[in-house]
Amino acid sequence: MSFRIEEKTILNRSDYFHFLKILENNKIKKMFPTRKIQSLYFDNYSNKMFVDSEEGITPRKKIRIRKYNNTKKYCLEIKINSPEGKFKNTKKINDINRYIDNGYFDNLYGLCFPKIWISYIRDYYFFNGSRITIDKEITYEHFNKTFLKKSEKQIILEIKNKNIYKIYDENFNFTRYRFSKYSEGMKKFI
């Protein structure tokens, strides 16, 4: 389990180009090549994880299966938001169909089933001791309904670091927002 401090910002086009200029001025390069990320999020029949996220209740979780760049390698990820902080457990899995067909049993939420696919393009940077990601071309696809697919033009900046507020205050002049791709996607379909 890894402890995480993270902050997200929704960037408009002008902010995005300003961010790229900051990277260029500081000679910051990408950590990895650009990746396509696809995540299948799970929730119980009453969508309790979504409700808890919207209400800011802790502890709460997000359960997802993720893959990168159209590979067949999947990871089961459980993100926990507790009063002590945010944590993520990751486990490689061989058979996504086992979880799609049978669901995933969670001790807090009970039996959870696939709800929504979320895909996006991600760029990774390392800046002043922080891992920074930019997510764009976000697409939400309802799991059980054919052709229910919606796209976002939003660009999401996320910074992960122990001294996150110092990084924001010293380098970026963007408004911070609470943002969850899972919550945004669910709002489009329920």
Side-chain angles (χ1 to χ4, degrees):
M1 187 178 320
S2 60
F3 179 71
R4 306 155 64 92
I5 299 174
E6 54 193 36
E7 196 70 36
K8 295 178 185 173
T9 299
I10 302 170
L11 301 179
N12 60 36
R13 299 293 282 170
S14 174
D15 290 339
Y16 176 61
F17 290 117
H18 176 67
F19 169 76
L20 293 177
K21 192 70 171 164
I22 291 170
L23 295 180
E24 181 184 319
N25 290 343
N26 288 281
K27 297 180 178 18
I28 305 302
K29 303 291 182 199
K30 288 183 182 178
M31 289 174 62
F32 307 109
T34 299
R35 294 178 177 172
K36 180 176 184 180
I37 298 176
Q38 295 173 284
S39 298
L40 177 61
Y41 283 81
F42 288 68
D43 208 334
N44 62 21
Y45 283 116
S46 61
N47 297 320
K48 183 75 170 125
M49 281 183 238
F50 166 70
V51 172
D52 287 355
S53 179
E54 286 296 292
E55 294 181 3
I57 292 172
T58 57
R60 66 180 180 269
K61 296 180 184 180
K62 287 184 185 152
I63 299 169
R64 67 186 179 208
I65 293 177
R66 177 169 278 185
K67 70 176 184 167
Y68 297 90
N69 290 335
N70 297 318
T71 67
K72 297 293 183 193
K73 297 177 184 174
Y74 295 95
C75 291
L76 173 66
E77 297 182 346
I78 300 173
K79 291 180 73 176
I80 301 163
N81 193 330
S82 72
E84 298 80 29
K86 296 179 180 184
F87 305 87
K88 183 169 85 169
N89 290 321
T90 302
K91 173 181 139 184
K92 291 181 182 177
I93 59 171
N94 296 321
D95 184 12
I96 187 175
N97 291 322
R98 174 181 147 210
Y99 295 95
I100 289 173
D101 295 341
N102 301 317
Y104 177 86
F105 183 81
D106 179 73
N107 61 355
L108 182 61
Y109 291 99
L111 194 53
C112 300
F113 295 95
K115 295 288 182 167
I116 186 171
W117 279 104
I118 301 176
S119 303
Y120 50 94
I121 303 299
R122 175 171 277 179
D123 290 317
Y124 298 81
Y125 302 92
F126 191 76
F127 178 68
N128 284 352
S130 297
R131 189 179 106 181
I132 298 175
T133 58
I134 290 284
D135 298 339
K136 53 193 174 198
E137 299 179 35
I138 303 168
T139 303
Y140 306 100
E141 188 171 352
H142 195 285
F143 181 76
N144 287 324
K145 297 185 178 152
T146 308
F147 303 115
L148 273 179
K149 189 173 188 176
K150 303 199 177 193
S151 296
E152 284 288 343
K153 295 192 186 302
Q154 292 175 317
I155 300 169
I156 309 302
L157 165 70
E158 184 171 359
I159 300 178
K160 297 176 180 156
N161 181 295
K162 293 178 189 167
N163 301 314
I164 198 159
Y165 301 107
K166 182 178 180 197
I167 298 294
Y168 259 101
D169 295 341
E170 291 178 1
N171 301 284
F172 305 110
N173 191 19
F174 307 129
T175 303
R176 292 180 287 241
Y177 295 94
R178 183 179 172 279
F179 184 86
S180 161
K181 289 181 198 77
Y182 175 65
S183 289
E184 291 303 308
M186 288 295 285
K187 284 186 236 179
K188 294 179 184 317
F189 298 118
I190 58 172

